Amino acid sequence: MEDSRIAMPIGTALDRFIKSRQTAFPYATGELSQLLRDIALSGKVVNREINRAGLINLAGAAGTENSGGEQQQNLDVLANIRFARALEKGGEVCAIVSEEEERVIEVNRKAHYVVAIDPLDGSSNIDVNVSIGTIFSIYRRISEEGKPVTMEDALQPGRNQVAAGYILYGSSTMLVFTTGRGVNGFTYDPSLGEYFLSHQNMQMPLEGKIYSVNEGSYHSFPQGVKDYIEDCREKGYTGRYIGSLVADFHRNLLKGGIYIYPSTASNPEGKLRLMYECNTLAMLAEEAGGMATDGTNRILDIVPTRIHQRAPFFVGSKNMVERAKELVEEAKMIEK
Ligand code: P6P
């Protein structure tokens, strides 16, 4: 059986890459391929608006709140509209779970895919010109085609994902995604309006020397997290925390490292959302040889009960996430 990870040459256009590997995609009817194209296209539009935000008065707060009561930025609202419209027009999506929408949005009852999305994560960084990102997961619907979408379609564990990815609006704009056969990165060339393969079959180093955590909340961290941070300090690791999940994750994917958002006093369940932040990056991490837990349990095995539920999040180089798990569990044993 041909290994579908066989690398396409660097510089391959996204469209050609998707087409050439469609046969290896699950349910290779072209629907998932089209859905990935719809997401990539929306990313181009959002990228353009981000780059001009300061010029067309798009930066700043919208004066409204999202599902979690967090301040929405103008670009949060705009990105949500762009992705929702593209997914509706594309016709491949039966439902959308979005950080910016309170409830599940039913789109097309005849379609086969559910998309969970954070249209623009890290948006509070927009005004200070720090990298931000779109994070998306794709699931196969469970309910029968043509019937109303059910909560069972939306509340699937991360291990059910058929695809996961992010768009990083950074010094360059990149689309990084997996369909369960390795992780590939595409760099956007705005002069041609196209994404080109720039990072083939990305592998997360098993070990790293970078830990990303907001140490401002150190005093309310669980003891095991404090022990792990001490362990990193004793080993002379570097602390790097951009405050934008996709940017921190992407750096760790390339260089090795761990990102931690544990439970804190202000976020007892952790701050990050299981459906469209933790699950997405957990699938990418595992596909690239990394690991993702809630400190103890595999993220992808958590069965969600609410679409916006949060989870403590430890993701990155396998050896680092395992070391953190060891110290978290040791601390729990001592506390018993
Ligand atoms: P804190 C951005 O709001 C975000 O969701 C992630 O992108 C980022 O890693 C985290 O929250 C930052 O949160 O509490 O450290 O400012």
Side-chain angles (χ1 to χ4, degrees):
M1 164 95 167
E2 182 219 348
D3 177 357
S4 60
R5 291 176 201 263
I6 290 177
M8 295 288 288
I10 291 287
T12 301
L14 174 65
D15 244 15
R16 180 167 163 64
F17 179 91
I18 291 175
K19 214 173 287 164
S20 74
R21 297 183 67 176
Q22 180 168 309
T23 48
F25 283 5
Y27 326 104
T29 59
E31 294 169 355
L32 181 58
S33 304
Q34 186 50 49
L35 175 45
L36 287 167
R37 287 190 195 94
D38 294 340
I39 291 172
L41 175 61
S42 311
K44 295 180 188 177
V45 175
V46 170
N47 177 66
R48 188 187 59 198
E49 283 156 350
I50 287 170
N51 291 344
R52 297 188 308 157
L55 299 173
I56 50 176
N57 196 22
L58 261 185
T64 51
E65 292 184 346
N66 68 11
S67 55
E70 291 147 348
Q71 272 304 313
Q72 287 180 307
Q73 304 294 313
N74 286 316
L75 276 170
D76 280 324
V77 175
L78 197 64
N80 188 49
I81 292 167
R82 294 287 184 231
F83 279 98
R85 279 210 192 124
L87 295 175
E88 277 166 41
K89 273 176 62 183
E92 305 302 348
V93 170
C94 62
I96 298 172
V97 173
S98 168
E99 179 172 58
E100 306 307 332
E101 301 289 350
E102 187 64 39
R103 308 197 182 308
V104 178
I105 308 291
E106 182 171 278
V107 180
N108 170 6
R109 289 187 177 179
K110 293 191 171 57
H112 300 136
Y113 291 100
V114 176
V115 171
I117 187 165
D118 184 350
L120 208 53
D121 177 77
S123 52
S124 53
N125 291 307
I126 293 168
D127 295 356
V128 294
N129 216 359
V130 166
S131 303
I132 49 182
T134 295
I135 312 174
F136 63 90
S137 288
I138 302 174
Y139 296 83
R140 185 91 180 160
R141 76 182 293 174
I142 293 172
S143 59
E144 197 183 327
E145 176 186 327
K147 294 275 198 295
V149 167
T150 64
M151 281 312 284
E152 197 190 6
D153 289 320
L155 295 174
Q156 299 189 51
R159 61 174 177 262
N160 288 9
Q161 292 172 92
V162 293
Y166 56 81
I167 300 169
L168 174 60
Y169 310 98
S171 46
S172 70
T173 292
M174 278 192 73
L175 166 64
V176 177
F177 75 91
T178 181
T179 56
R181 289 167 176 75
V183 177
N184 290 281
F186 298 80
T187 298
Y188 181 57
D189 179 341
S191 69
L192 298 174
E194 183 54 86
Y195 297 90
F196 295 95
L197 181 64
S198 51
H199 296 69
Q200 293 169 324
N201 197 18
M202 301 173 82
Q203 292 297 308
M204 191 178 256
L206 283 177
E207 193 58 74
K209 298 190 183 319
I210 295 171
Y211 66 101
S212 310
V213 64
N214 183 342
E215 296 192 54
S217 309
Y218 181 87
H219 293 294
S220 68
F221 286 168
Q223 186 56 48
V225 176
K226 291 180 178 176
D227 296 342
Y228 180 69
I229 290 171
E230 272 318 303
D231 193 54
C232 290
R233 288 170 176 165
E234 282 162 12
K235 290 172 179 170
Y237 289 176
T238 298
R240 280 281 184 281
Y241 191 71
I242 299 170
S244 187
L245 172 61
V246 174
D248 278 314
F249 178 86
H250 187 74
R251 183 205 50 245
N252 292 344
L253 172 60
L254 293 173
K255 294 177 177 259
I258 185 170
Y259 172 98
I260 302 174
Y261 206 110
S263 63
T264 63
S266 44
N267 289 292
E269 290 180 8
K271 176 182 182 184
L272 301 180
R273 311 292 187 164
L274 178 63
M275 292 299 299
Y276 38 78
E277 290 171 332
C278 303
N279 278 340
T280 315
L281 300 186
M283 180 176 186
L284 286 163
E286 291 195 2
E287 277 295 314
M291 187 174 178
T293 70
D294 63 1
T296 301
N297 309 299
R298 184 185 182 226
I299 285 288
L300 295 182
D301 288 338
I302 298 173
V303 181
T305 52
R306 303 183 315 279
I307 58 172
H308 296 300
Q309 83 182 55
R310 301 173 193 266
F313 195 39
F314 298 65
V315 63
S317 295
K318 195 167 188 302
N319 294 354
M320 298 179 85
V321 176
E322 276 177 344
R323 177 64 177 152
K325 181 171 185 280
E326 196 182 306
L327 293 176
V328 163
E329 288 174 350
E330 245 175 55
K332 280 183 183 166
M333 291 301 284
I334 295 166
E335 282 158 9
K336 274 185 179 157

